[in-house]
Amino acid sequence: MVPESKQLQLFLENIEIPFKDNIKYLGVTFNKLLKFNDHGRILLAKVKRISGMFSALLNSRHLPKNTKLLIYKVAIRSVLIYAFPIWFTVSPSVAKKLEIFERSVLRKCINKNFASYTKRHSNAVIYEDSAVTPLCTYALALERKFAEKLGTHDNSYVFDHEKDADWSSL
Protein backbone atom coordinates (compact mmCIF):
# COMPACT_ATOMS: atom_id res chain seq x y z
CA MET A 1 0.00 0.00 0.00
CA VAL A 2 1.30 3.44 -0.92
CA PRO A 3 2.15 5.55 2.17
CA GLU A 4 0.28 8.53 0.71
CA SER A 5 -2.92 6.46 0.54
CA LYS A 6 -3.10 6.45 4.35
CA GLN A 7 -3.73 10.19 4.11
CA LEU A 8 -6.32 9.75 1.38
CA GLN A 9 -9.90 10.32 2.44
CA LEU A 10 -12.81 8.79 0.57
CA PHE A 11 -16.35 10.13 0.85
CA LEU A 12 -19.70 8.86 -0.31
CA GLU A 13 -22.54 11.37 0.00
CA ASN A 14 -20.48 13.43 2.47
CA ILE A 15 -19.83 10.39 4.69
CA GLU A 16 -16.19 9.35 5.10
CA ILE A 17 -15.40 5.76 4.19
CA PRO A 18 -12.78 4.52 6.69
CA PHE A 19 -9.83 2.38 5.65
CA LYS A 20 -9.63 -1.08 7.20
CA ASP A 21 -6.92 -3.71 7.21
CA ASN A 22 -9.43 -6.58 6.77
CA ILE A 23 -12.89 -6.75 5.32
CA LYS A 24 -15.46 -9.53 5.19
CA TYR A 25 -17.58 -9.83 2.05
CA LEU A 26 -20.06 -12.69 1.51
CA GLY A 27 -18.38 -14.64 4.28
CA VAL A 28 -14.85 -14.33 2.86
CA THR A 29 -12.30 -12.22 4.75
CA PHE A 30 -9.48 -10.56 2.83
CA ASN A 31 -6.95 -7.88 3.63
CA LYS A 32 -5.95 -4.66 1.89
CA LEU A 33 -3.51 -6.63 -0.29
CA LEU A 34 -6.30 -9.05 -1.32
CA LYS A 35 -4.70 -11.95 0.54
CA PHE A 36 -6.83 -14.54 2.30
CA ASN A 37 -4.59 -15.83 5.09
CA ASP A 38 -6.79 -14.22 7.73
CA HIS A 39 -9.78 -15.95 6.13
CA GLY A 40 -8.02 -19.30 6.48
CA ARG A 41 -7.30 -18.66 10.16
CA ILE A 42 -10.88 -17.52 10.85
CA LEU A 43 -12.18 -20.54 8.96
CA LEU A 44 -10.02 -22.90 10.98
CA ALA A 45 -11.35 -21.47 14.23
CA LYS A 46 -14.90 -21.79 12.91
CA VAL A 47 -14.60 -25.45 11.88
CA LYS A 48 -12.90 -26.27 15.19
CA ARG A 49 -15.97 -24.88 16.98
CA ILE A 50 -18.25 -26.90 14.69
CA SER A 51 -16.29 -30.11 15.27
CA GLY A 52 -16.45 -29.38 19.01
CA MET A 53 -20.23 -29.33 18.78
CA PHE A 54 -20.15 -32.77 17.16
CA SER A 55 -17.29 -34.15 19.28
CA ALA A 56 -19.50 -36.54 21.26
CA LEU A 57 -20.77 -38.07 18.03
CA LEU A 58 -17.40 -38.11 16.25
CA ASN A 59 -15.66 -39.68 19.27
CA SER A 60 -18.33 -42.35 19.72
CA ARG A 61 -17.13 -45.88 19.08
CA HIS A 62 -20.72 -47.02 18.66
CA LEU A 63 -21.78 -44.69 15.86
CA PRO A 64 -21.15 -46.18 12.38
CA LYS A 65 -18.18 -44.84 10.41
CA ASN A 66 -20.41 -43.81 7.48
CA THR A 67 -22.59 -41.70 9.75
CA LYS A 68 -19.59 -39.90 11.22
CA LEU A 69 -18.14 -39.30 7.74
CA LEU A 70 -21.49 -37.89 6.64
CA ILE A 71 -21.43 -35.49 9.60
CA TYR A 72 -17.91 -34.45 8.58
CA LYS A 73 -18.85 -33.87 4.93
CA VAL A 74 -22.07 -32.00 5.66
CA ALA A 75 -21.17 -29.96 8.73
CA ILE A 76 -17.43 -29.43 8.45
CA ARG A 77 -16.13 -29.91 4.90
CA SER A 78 -18.93 -27.85 3.41
CA VAL A 79 -17.78 -24.94 5.59
CA LEU A 80 -14.13 -25.57 4.66
CA ILE A 81 -14.77 -25.32 0.93
CA TYR A 82 -17.24 -22.44 0.92
CA ALA A 83 -16.13 -19.93 -1.76
CA PHE A 84 -12.87 -21.81 -2.28
CA PRO A 85 -12.40 -20.62 -5.89
CA ILE A 86 -12.16 -17.10 -4.49
CA TRP A 87 -9.69 -17.65 -1.66
CA PHE A 88 -7.57 -20.52 -3.02
CA THR A 89 -4.43 -18.37 -2.79
CA VAL A 90 -4.15 -18.94 0.95
CA SER A 91 -0.57 -19.44 2.13
CA PRO A 92 0.84 -22.99 2.31
CA SER A 93 1.19 -22.75 6.10
CA VAL A 94 -2.53 -21.99 6.52
CA ALA A 95 -3.46 -24.72 4.01
CA LYS A 96 -1.32 -27.19 5.97
CA LYS A 97 -3.13 -26.28 9.21
CA LEU A 98 -6.48 -26.89 7.48
CA GLU A 99 -5.29 -30.30 6.24
CA ILE A 100 -3.96 -31.27 9.68
CA PHE A 101 -7.34 -30.37 11.18
CA GLU A 102 -9.13 -32.39 8.49
CA ARG A 103 -7.03 -35.47 9.24
CA SER A 104 -7.66 -35.17 12.98
CA VAL A 105 -11.42 -35.19 12.36
CA LEU A 106 -11.15 -38.08 9.89
CA ARG A 107 -9.19 -40.10 12.48
CA LYS A 108 -12.14 -39.72 14.84
CA CYS A 109 -14.59 -40.66 12.09
CA ILE A 110 -12.82 -43.94 11.29
CA ASN A 111 -11.90 -44.73 14.91
CA LYS A 112 -8.16 -44.60 14.28
CA ASN A 113 -7.63 -42.40 17.32
CA PHE A 114 -8.81 -45.23 19.63
CA ALA A 115 -6.59 -48.04 18.37
CA SER A 116 -3.44 -47.14 20.22
CA TYR A 117 -1.87 -44.03 21.59
CA THR A 118 1.56 -45.26 20.49
CA LYS A 119 0.75 -46.37 16.95
CA ARG A 120 0.49 -43.60 14.39
CA HIS A 121 -1.51 -44.10 11.21
CA SER A 122 -0.17 -42.57 8.02
CA ASN A 123 -2.10 -39.91 6.19
CA ALA A 124 -2.57 -42.29 3.26
CA VAL A 125 -4.22 -44.84 5.57
CA ILE A 126 -6.52 -42.17 7.02
CA TYR A 127 -7.68 -41.02 3.58
CA GLU A 128 -7.94 -44.57 2.22
CA ASP A 129 -10.00 -45.86 5.16
CA SER A 130 -12.31 -42.85 5.08
CA ALA A 131 -12.59 -42.80 1.26
CA VAL A 132 -12.28 -39.01 1.43
CA THR A 133 -10.19 -37.03 -1.03
CA PRO A 134 -7.60 -34.83 0.75
CA LEU A 135 -8.80 -31.25 1.18
CA CYS A 136 -6.25 -29.60 -1.11
CA THR A 137 -6.75 -32.20 -3.87
CA TYR A 138 -10.50 -31.85 -3.56
CA ALA A 139 -10.29 -28.06 -3.57
CA LEU A 140 -8.04 -28.01 -6.65
CA ALA A 141 -10.54 -30.23 -8.48
CA LEU A 142 -13.28 -27.76 -7.54
CA GLU A 143 -11.10 -24.89 -8.78
CA ARG A 144 -10.52 -26.63 -12.12
CA LYS A 145 -14.26 -27.30 -12.49
CA PHE A 146 -14.98 -23.65 -11.66
CA ALA A 147 -12.48 -22.45 -14.28
CA GLU A 148 -13.96 -24.77 -16.91
CA LYS A 149 -17.48 -23.48 -16.24
CA LEU A 150 -16.22 -19.92 -16.29
CA GLY A 151 -14.73 -20.51 -19.74
CA THR A 152 -18.10 -21.60 -21.15
CA HIS A 153 -20.26 -19.08 -19.30
CA ASP A 154 -22.49 -17.03 -21.60
CA ASN A 155 -22.60 -13.89 -19.44
CA SER A 156 -20.24 -11.35 -21.01
CA TYR A 157 -19.72 -9.70 -17.62
CA VAL A 158 -18.25 -12.93 -16.27
CA PHE A 159 -16.14 -13.90 -19.28
CA ASP A 160 -15.37 -12.24 -22.61
CA HIS A 161 -15.78 -15.03 -25.20
CA GLU A 162 -14.39 -12.90 -27.99
CA LYS A 163 -10.93 -13.26 -26.46
CA ASP A 164 -9.37 -16.59 -27.30
CA ALA A 165 -8.59 -18.02 -23.86
CA ASP A 166 -7.26 -21.50 -23.34
CA TRP A 167 -8.68 -22.89 -20.09
CA SER A 168 -7.35 -26.40 -20.71
CA SER A 169 -3.95 -25.50 -19.25
CA LEU A 170 -5.40 -24.92 -15.77
Side-chain angles (χ1 to χ4, degrees), residues 2 35 39 54 87 90 93 102 106 128 135 140 166 168-169:
V2 182
K35 294 192 177 190
H39 178 73
F54 289 103
W87 64 272
V90 69
S93 63
E102 176 188 50
L106 290 176
E128 185 180 324
L135 180 63
L140 287 173
D166 182 17
S168 62
S169 63

Side-chain angles (χ1 to χ4, degrees), residues 3 11 47 67 74 147 156 167:
F11 291 90
V47 292
T67 304
V74 171
S156 62
W167 290 91

Side-chain angles (χ1 to χ4, degrees), residues 14-29:
N14 293 327
I15 299 173
E16 184 178 1
I17 301 173
F19 281 96
K20 293 188 174 189
D21 289 334
N22 293 317
I23 190 164
K24 190 171 188 176
Y25 183 70
L26 294 177
V28 178
T29 304

Side-chain angles (χ1 to χ4, degrees), residues 25-28 39 43 77-87:
Y25 183 70
L26 294 177
V28 178
H39 178 73
L43 184 64
R77 187 171 246 194
S78 63
V79 174
L80 280 172
I81 61 167
Y82 173 74
F84 190 82
I86 305 302
W87 64 272

